[in-house]
Amino acid sequence: MQIETDLRVLVVDDTILYRKVVADALSELPGVVVVGSAHNGKIALEKIAELEPDLLTLDIEMPVMDGLEVLRRMTKDTPQVGAIMLSAYTREGSEMTLKALELGAFDFIPKPHTKSLQENRAELKKALSPMIKAFVRLREVRRILRGEQKNSYQGVTGTIPAESRKAKKPFSSPQPRPRSRIVTIGISTGGPVALARFLPEIPADMGVPLLIAQHMPPVFTESLARNLDQRCAITVKEAADGEKILPNTAYIAPGGKQMKIADDVFQNGKIIRITGDPPENGCKPSADYLFRSVAEHFGGSATGVIMTGMGSDGTLGLQQMKEKGAFIIAQDEASSVVYGMAKKPVEMGIVDRVVPLDQIAAQIRRTVPKC
């Protein structure tokens, strides 16, 4: 997707080196104009009023006023301006990043810091390019939804915007399917906030495990699991290699690793395997990698959920799950930060229910024995 109108970006970081590296990376992207920079949050707010950017790249830890306070002020005064956070690869940095996402940041990028300036610029450019395209697309979808809400049509369950009208009819099996013994979720951009909204609605006695592939780097998934565990009735944890899969527990794949299911050779049941296998669809963890494993070990006794996120990771794995008889749920476009991962499965007709975020937990509960 080409950006037809220049996207105005303000670079905010307390380090002159990062301001230059980020600005240089952005300047190499088509349709992007760097309109200025700021070295603390107070100056950033002044530059927002002066320069009217569409988007900020925003450091979290800054003197005078940090990135979190900037986001709080933006939410109140300039909600139309987006923010992509630049975050440190630390536990404290990951926890502050999750807070930034809760405050409305579009997404985040861990700061590269061990490479040459040229390598750092290339890494930032590679990460920023799809994010900015997704941000532009989100703004366009929101504009369309505001102006054409009445023109949307009713899909399987809930509303699908006009661009999805070419989607095939949902898959329907002629045979009654078994109740699910496991739920597996693929999610990316917008995921931490979406998980924080719907996982607390899962009851403590649901009776089945949940396995989650959230596209995130190392360290950040540990903070995400800890944050969600404090909010939820079920246990939420970062998965560990070799641990037994237990009911009423959500296992989040560690960032930078792949997660799959294996048979427990010592006892009846299943265990988790965390591997260093290569990325799939550029993702590690990958939803496709996890979904394939669920299809192999649970067949039709599974529920697959595909949610907000960039790209198409998860489509092939969901197709394999559906071929085994699994029940597939997709988040709708209107409630997604990015309608990428759910879009292709919906268009292929392998999704049984398309629902907004606030109905996903209820749909999951209908597929498991105790609910």
Side-chain angles (χ1 to χ4, degrees), residues 179 202-203 205-208 361-362 364-371:
R179 287 288 188 172
I202 300 295
D205 61 347
M206 190 171 75
V208 303
I364 288 174
R365 292 198 301 268
R366 292 189 183 103
T367 69
V368 301
K370 287 190 176 182
C371 299

Side-chain angles (χ1 to χ4, degrees), residues 113-263:
H113 60 278
T114 59
K115 302 176 181 178
S116 68
L117 290 181
Q118 184 175 0
E119 289 173 320
N120 285 343
R121 183 174 68 247
E123 186 174 322
L124 283 169
K125 178 182 176 182
K126 180 180 179 181
L128 284 167
S129 179
M131 260 182 215
I132 285 178
K133 290 178 182 178
F135 175 76
V136 171
R137 177 60 184 152
L138 173 65
R139 292 203 312 166
E140 176 64 13
V141 167
R142 286 178 173 172
R143 184 191 66 79
I144 291 171
L145 290 175
R146 285 195 302 269
E148 302 179 7
Q149 191 75 28
K150 295 180 180 179
N151 294 331
S152 61
Y153 83 105
Q154 294 301 311
V156 188
T157 299
T159 301
I160 304 175
E163 77 164 32
S164 297
R165 291 178 182 175
K166 295 181 181 180
K168 296 180 181 179
K169 291 183 178 180
F171 182 97
S172 58
S173 173
Q175 302 295 329
R177 62 174 301 278
R179 287 288 188 172
S180 293
R181 295 185 291 124
I182 192 169
V183 176
T184 185
I185 298 167
I187 191 166
S188 185
T189 307
V193 174
L195 291 170
R197 283 184 57 185
F198 97 84
L199 277 183
E201 298 176 16
I202 300 295
D205 61 347
M206 190 171 75
V208 303
L210 294 88
L211 271 62
I212 302 170
Q214 159 73 62
H215 295 165
M216 271 185 139
V219 181
F220 292 84
T221 45
E222 180 185 356
S223 293
L224 175 63
R226 187 167 51 250
N227 180 282
L228 291 171
D229 186 58
Q230 295 171 357
R231 300 167 182 256
C232 296
I234 59 172
T235 298
V236 184
K237 66 189 303 292
E238 186 181 58
D241 184 50
E243 70 178 310
K244 191 175 181 65
I245 299 176
L246 301 175
N248 308 319
T249 304
Y251 300 90
I252 297 178
K257 300 288 184 180
Q258 300 287 21
M259 181 168 73
K260 65 180 180 180
I261 298 169
D263 290 317

Side-chain angles (χ1 to χ4, degrees), residues 8-20:
R8 298 168 59 83
V9 183
L10 177 68
V11 177
V12 185
D13 198 291
D14 68 328
T15 306
I16 188 171
L17 178 63
Y18 270 109
R19 290 200 299 275
K20 175 172 174 50

Side-chain angles (χ1 to χ4, degrees), residues 53 82 86 93 110 177 196 296 332 358 363:
L86 269 69
R177 62 174 301 278
E296 177 185 353
D332 72 357
D358 61 7
Q363 286 293 333

